[in-house]
Amino acid sequence: MRIIVPIKQVPETSAVRMDEKTGTMIRDGVEAIVNPLDLYAIEAALLLKASQPEGQCEVIAVSMGPPKAQSAIREAMSMGFDSGVLLSDKKFAGADTWATSYVLAAAIKKLGDVDLIICGERATDGDTGQVGPGIAAWLDLPVGSYVGKIDGLTDGRINVQRLLEDGHEGLEVQLPAVLTVVKEVADPRLPTLRGKQRARKAELTTWNADDLNLPDENLGLNGSPTRVVKIFRPSVTRECEKLIATDDQSINTAADRVLEFLQERELV
Ligand SMILES: Cc1cc2nc3c(=O)[nH]c(=O)nc-3n(C[C@H](O)[C@H](O)[C@H](O)COP(=O)(O)OP(=O)(O)OC[C@H]3O[C@@H](n4cnc5c(N)ncnc54)[C@H](O)[C@@H]3O)c2cc1C
């Protein structure tokens, strides 16, 4: 069995700064980490591997990003992944979710027989949650999103529970398939010292656009149908009216004013 986990390297901050002129993210001077939500996908893959007979399951990390994204792959390897592929090319720069999932899908195709692709729920910077379902669409595979529990694998099918706002939904999905997982799926382990040493020495595969045989017009900014037309920080204004009520009379006056306020807005 073969499981692929696409992982994204993201800036180590939730306060992502944007360049308002270019509409792109300011990444300079910000430390890069594995997208925190991808750690759950990594752990889910490792648990599935452990549930299979020894040597019967291979787990591979794939990341599209600049050369420094290799450290994200090494982190997955230090947690127990067998190998990793970095997809790096200047032509991939500026990709939106369409172009990102296109390149990831092409790499997964090139890897050959794959049973399961497990993505994080979303990346903490781009934050769309579209890349996992995008990969499934390019590869014409079924997708189970927001998976909070993996019940098990039987006869080429995986049983999962999707997290819904008001409960769970059980799904039996035919493999090969794509899952996107939420935090509830597993508790990510910490890398071991031995794992770190192995990961540091590991030879990673790196593929560029030519290796994937992809046409330039489908890549990066050129291949991205999404355009950031304008970005701005919404101004939050709170126009408040203070009602100070200290005795029976002022409490009644304040209550009348609250009622009047709600009636003016047709809320009562
Ligand atoms: C015009 C335009 C230009 C952009 N330019 C850039 C840019 O230059 N650099 C940039 O980083 N972003 C850029 N973006 C943002 C870009 O759309 C997203 O960062 C990227 O496509 C992934 O989407 P997301 O972050 O919303 O991931 P989500 O869909 O939220 O991620 C879900 C899951 O998909 C997987 N995943 C997502 N991205 C990757 C990846 N790169 N490699 C492996 N797995 C992945 C992970 O498992 C992740 O948990 C640009 C967007 C637009 C619209």
Side-chain angles (χ1 to χ4, degrees):
M1 173 172 202
R2 231 160 171 219
I3 305 174
I4 310 255
V5 177
I7 52 177
K8 183 178 183 189
Q9 197 174 52
V10 297
E12 192 194 15
T13 171
S14 51
V16 172
R17 288 179 308 134
M18 300 293 289
D19 183 327
E20 295 194 7
K21 277 198 190 118
T22 60
T24 55
M25 237 168 255
I26 300 167
R27 287 158 195 279
D28 294 343
V30 186
E31 208 196 313
I33 54 165
V34 173
N35 173 34
L37 297 175
D38 292 351
L39 296 174
Y40 301 95
I42 292 173
E43 183 62 34
L46 289 170
L47 291 177
L48 279 171
K49 179 181 170 161
S51 73
Q52 300 300 301
E54 182 84 30
Q56 294 292 299
C57 182
E58 187 188 5
V59 281
I60 307 170
V62 177
S63 188
M64 186 186 104
K68 71 173 182 180
Q70 61 160 280
S71 64
I73 294 174
R74 288 190 199 279
E75 187 164 337
M77 291 183 71
S78 70
M79 290 168 76
F81 268 48
D82 298 296
S83 59
V85 182
L86 175 67
L87 310 171
S88 201
D89 194 314
K90 286 215 166 76
K91 292 177 187 168
F92 299 156
D96 66 0
T97 56
W98 175 277
T100 302
S101 53
Y102 174 74
V103 172
L104 289 168
I108 292 166
K109 236 184 200 167
K110 187 175 162 82
L111 281 165
D113 286 339
V114 170
D115 301 283
L116 193 58
I117 298 146
I118 310 180
C119 292
E121 176 197 352
R122 60 191 164 80
T124 52
D125 56 353
D127 211 12
T128 65
Q130 293 173 357
V131 170
I135 294 171
W138 287 114
L139 298 175
D140 200 16
L141 294 179
V143 58
S145 55
Y146 301 105
V147 169
K149 189 161 183 266
I150 297 179
D151 290 324
L153 286 159
T154 36
D155 301 331
R157 287 164 188 270
I158 188 160
N159 288 84
V160 299
Q161 289 184 35
R162 296 184 67 222
L163 196 66
L164 306 179
E165 264 179 33
D166 53 356
H168 291 89
E169 179 183 64
L171 284 186
E172 186 181 70
V173 189
Q174 174 95 45
L175 300 180
V178 177
L179 301 180
T180 73
V181 296
V182 293
K183 281 186 197 168
E184 288 74 5
V185 80
D187 282 329
R189 68 194 67 191
L190 290 172
T192 60
L193 186 61
R194 218 163 128 212
K196 279 186 179 175
Q197 285 167 338
R198 189 179 71 89
R200 205 174 48 231
K201 288 188 209 137
E203 290 259 340
L204 301 186
T205 305
T206 302
W207 288 336
N208 60 21
D210 290 342
D211 295 318
L212 295 173
N213 204 14
L214 298 174
D216 286 2
E217 63 269 24
N218 291 356
L219 304 176
L221 200 57
N222 289 340
S224 296
T226 324
R227 287 284 171 271
V228 179
V229 179
K230 185 181 175 193
I231 55 164
F232 61 96
R233 209 173 275 280
S235 61
V236 181
T237 52
R238 288 200 179 87
E239 286 171 24
C240 67
E241 186 179 330
K242 226 179 210 175
L243 302 171
I244 298 170
T246 50
D247 54 30
D248 285 352
Q249 196 191 342
S250 55
I251 289 170
N252 285 335
T253 311
D256 287 344
R257 175 61 197 128
V258 170
L259 184 62
E260 187 187 49
F261 178 89
L262 295 172
Q263 281 168 340
E264 276 167 11
R265 285 158 184 77
E266 296 180 357
L267 294 169
V268 289

